Amino acid sequence: MIRLLTDTMQGVKAVGRALSFREDWAETLDLSASGLVRSFFAAIVSLPILVFVLLGLQQLNIDNIEGYENRLTALDMIGTLARIWLVFPVLSIFLTRLTGTKHRFVHWVVLHNWAVLVLLMVPVFPVAFYLLGLTSAAGVAFSIGFLYEGFRYFIHFRVAQLALGLPLVWTIPIAMIPVIVNMVLAYGLN
C-alpha cells in the first residue's frame, strides 16, 4: 500500500512538472519495466474517482432529461475503465513503431497513465458542485464540455511532446490519435 501511495504521489508530481513545462519531469518516475507495470496502478487509484463522476453524471441526466432511465451497470463501469486504460497502451505500441520512437514507449505510457489519473480528477469538482446544488447542469456541461476537453487535449499533447521528443508537426497528430479512437469507442461514429 505504501508503494502504491508513493508511486501515485511521484506520478502526480511528474505530471505537474510536465504540465508546468519543467524539464525535470522524468526524475520522479520509474521508467523501468517494473515502473511501467506499476503505472497501471493509476487505474486502481482512479476507480473511485471514475465511479463518482459516472454516477454523478447519471444523476445529472436523471434530473435534467425527461424520461432518462439509462442506469449504469457494473459492466458499463468496467467497460469504461478498460477503454480508458487499455486502448492507449495498445495504440502506443503501433504509434511508437510508426514514428521510430519505440525506445520511448515506456516514457510515454508511464507519463500518460499518471496524467490520466490527474485528468480524471478534473470533472470531480463540477460534478460535486452540481450534486451539492452549487451549480447548474449548464455549468457542469460547460466545465466538462469545454474546460475539461480543452485540458484533455493539452495533457495528451504535452505528454506526447515530452515523452516522444518528436517535432511539433508529428506530436499533434500522434497525441490526438488515441483521443479520437477513445472517443469513437465511447460514443460511436454517430
Side-chain angles (χ1 to χ4, degrees), residues 3 7 10-11 14-15 17-18 23-39 102-115 159 162-164:
R3 183 62 185 218
D7 284 348
Q10 297 292 38
V15 172
R17 288 178 174 184
E23 295 300 322
D24 60 348
W25 63 272
E27 290 178 12
T28 62
L29 291 179
D30 180 354
L31 297 172
S32 68
S34 170
L36 173 66
V37 171
R38 286 195 327 273
S39 74
K102 69 180 183 178
H103 63 286
R104 303 289 290 190
F105 168 79
V106 171
H107 293 71
W108 197 19
V109 174
V110 170
L111 185 58
H112 175 269
N113 285 349
W114 295 115
V159 165
L162 287 174
L164 298 177

Side-chain angles (χ1 to χ4, degrees), residues 155-176:
I155 280 185
H156 279 276
F157 165 74
R158 185 69 180 143
V159 165
Q161 181 186 35
L162 287 174
L164 298 177
L166 293 170
L168 187 61
V169 71
W170 276 99
T171 301
I172 293 171
I174 294 301
M176 291 303 107

Side-chain angles (χ1 to χ4, degrees), residues 11-152:
V12 169
K13 185 176 183 178
V15 172
R17 288 178 174 184
L19 297 180
S20 60
F21 296 91
R22 290 182 52 176
E23 295 300 322
D24 60 348
W25 63 272
E27 290 178 12
T28 62
L29 291 179
D30 180 354
L31 297 172
S32 68
S34 170
L36 173 66
V37 171
R38 286 195 327 273
S39 74
F40 285 94
F41 288 150
I44 295 167
V45 175
S46 74
L47 184 59
I49 297 166
L50 181 64
V51 169
F52 174 79
V53 169
L54 291 174
L55 291 175
L57 291 173
Q58 177 179 266
Q59 186 59 49
L60 182 140
N61 288 334
I62 290 168
D63 293 347
N64 294 287
I65 299 174
E66 190 173 325
Y68 182 85
E69 294 182 19
N70 186 12
R71 299 284 180 195
L72 284 171
T73 65
L75 189 58
D76 295 331
M77 290 186 196
I78 290 169
T80 299
L81 190 69
R83 180 180 43 77
I84 290 170
W85 293 99
L86 297 178
V87 168
F88 179 81
V90 171
L91 282 174
S92 63
I93 290 168
F94 297 109
L95 292 172
T96 54
R97 288 177 188 265
L98 175 73
T99 59
T101 57
K102 69 180 183 178
H103 63 286
R104 303 289 290 190
F105 168 79
V106 171
H107 293 71
W108 197 19
V109 174
V110 170
L111 185 58
H112 175 269
N113 285 349
W114 295 115
V116 169
L117 172 62
V118 170
L119 189 59
L120 287 172
M121 289 184 218
V122 173
V124 166
F125 298 104
V127 168
F129 290 160
Y130 174 79
L131 295 174
L132 293 169
L134 300 174
T135 191
S136 65
V140 175
F142 174 77
S143 297
I144 292 176
F146 181 71
L147 300 176
Y148 168 79
E149 285 299 323
F151 188 57
R152 178 181 180 196

